[in-house]
Amino acid sequence: MASPRKPHPYANAKAANAKPKPNPLARASYLCAAHNPGQLPPDGGAEVAFAGRSNAGKSSALNALVGQNALARVSKTPGRTQQLVFFDVTAGSEGAAAVPPADAKYLVDLPGYGYAKVPQDLQAHWQAFLDGYFGSRMALRGLVVVMDIRHPLKEYDLQMLGYAVRRGLPAHALLTKADKLSRGAVGNAVLAVRRELESSFGDMVSVQAFSGESKQGVDEARAVVMDWLELGR
Ligand code: GDP
């Protein structure tokens, strides 16, 4: 009688090697910061914008999605936050030919307001800049709104969601810092936000729990962004 087969010594190593999926967002690198429409990169490819009130956890979420610790600086001065920051996820290695504008894929970090006091005239400037950006940027494929799961759907969040939905773009709500709540409370918060968004925006906005700290929900959020950018298909 044949003896039971022993597992191949490398079987586990093989399974482990097969598991991690490559993350196309990991190539993200800083491209530029735009303070006015004239500084935007060419409008030819595909991009996903990220919005969130100051301190919501947007930088931590961006860093978790790209799998880098310091792409979006986690602590920022108010001055530095007043710009649209473009991260390029198509940049090749140094010396490689730049991709044509039509193939460019960007993550765009939008300025967040919050308890950072912004003077009235600067508010007006940003309002106009963002109105124009959301209204006319052809490359824009979708909006991610990062909200602290304990304080969701503030005025700023609804304004950003409104910009996207009015333009016919999908939006995705990341309810972050989910590690701060029990599993039951996370589920309740997601349901409550989903219900409210459905009544305001129909099926244009999806919702998930997230944590830059525990990495809960990172794969799900990454899949949404990659789908909008048509990456990894
Ligand atoms: P931003 O202003 O929206 O970019 O927020 P940051 O990413 O800078 O985060 C603001 C603060 O919240 C920092 O102290 C982070 O360490 C913290 N933070 C961000 N994400 C999480 C999270 O998922 N869990 C917890 N517990 N803290 C977080």
Side-chain angles (χ1 to χ4, degrees):
M1 210 167 91
S3 59
R5 275 184 65 189
K6 279 191 188 157
H8 187 278
Y10 298 124
N12 286 339
K14 260 190 175 168
N17 282 342
K19 236 181 172 181
K21 280 180 271 166
N23 174 14
L25 302 183
R27 274 173 288 174
S29 61
Y30 173 87
L31 177 72
C32 63
H35 295 265
N36 58 56
Q39 294 173 334
L40 293 170
D43 184 7
E47 65 203 35
V48 172
F50 289 75
R53 299 169 71 234
S54 312
N55 242 18
K58 179 175 49 141
S59 304
S60 307
L62 269 165
N63 286 340
L65 289 175
V66 303
Q68 300 178 28
N69 290 331
L71 183 76
R73 263 178 239 134
V74 171
S75 61
K76 303 142 299 231
T77 59
R80 263 196 246 141
T81 61
Q82 301 307 311
Q83 50 196 5
L84 266 69
V85 178
F86 283 76
F87 300 107
D88 188 349
V89 295
T90 41
S93 54
E94 234 173 285
V99 298
D103 296 333
K105 315 261 184 199
Y106 300 137
L107 305 177
V108 188
D109 192 350
L110 301 182
Y113 306 97
Y115 359 108
K117 292 251 180 294
V118 182
Q120 291 269 305
D121 53 345
L122 199 56
Q123 287 263 19
H125 164 79
W126 277 108
Q127 185 95 15
F129 189 5
L130 287 177
D131 270 345
Y133 174 76
F134 275 100
S136 63
R137 185 82 177 168
M138 296 311 297
L140 188 57
R141 295 287 188 269
L143 171 74
V144 175
V145 176
V146 180
M147 299 180 276
D148 186 321
I149 192 164
R150 301 161 301 172
H151 314 287
L153 301 177
K154 301 287 188 201
E155 193 186 336
Y156 166 91
D157 307 315
L158 295 171
Q159 184 188 1
M160 294 294 137
L161 289 165
Y163 273 137
V165 171
R166 275 199 302 278
R167 160 83 187 275
L169 291 171
H172 188 63
L174 283 191
L175 301 184
T176 194
K177 307 194 189 181
D179 58 287
K180 299 249 195 193
L181 296 181
S182 69
R183 193 189 289 221
V186 166
N188 289 339
V190 171
L191 278 181
V193 170
R194 185 169 289 145
R195 216 170 283 140
E196 198 161 334
L197 287 174
E198 258 170 24
S199 76
S200 303
F201 302 112
D203 60 1
M204 293 297 285
V205 186
S206 44
V207 185
Q208 68 159 106
F210 188 89
S211 167
E213 192 90 357
S214 71
K215 308 290 184 263
Q216 170 187 348
V218 169
D219 286 344
E220 186 183 347
R222 201 178 274 154
V224 170
V225 172
M226 285 175 25
D227 189 44
W228 286 345
L229 291 178
E230 298 182 19
L231 275 171
R233 285 182 170 173

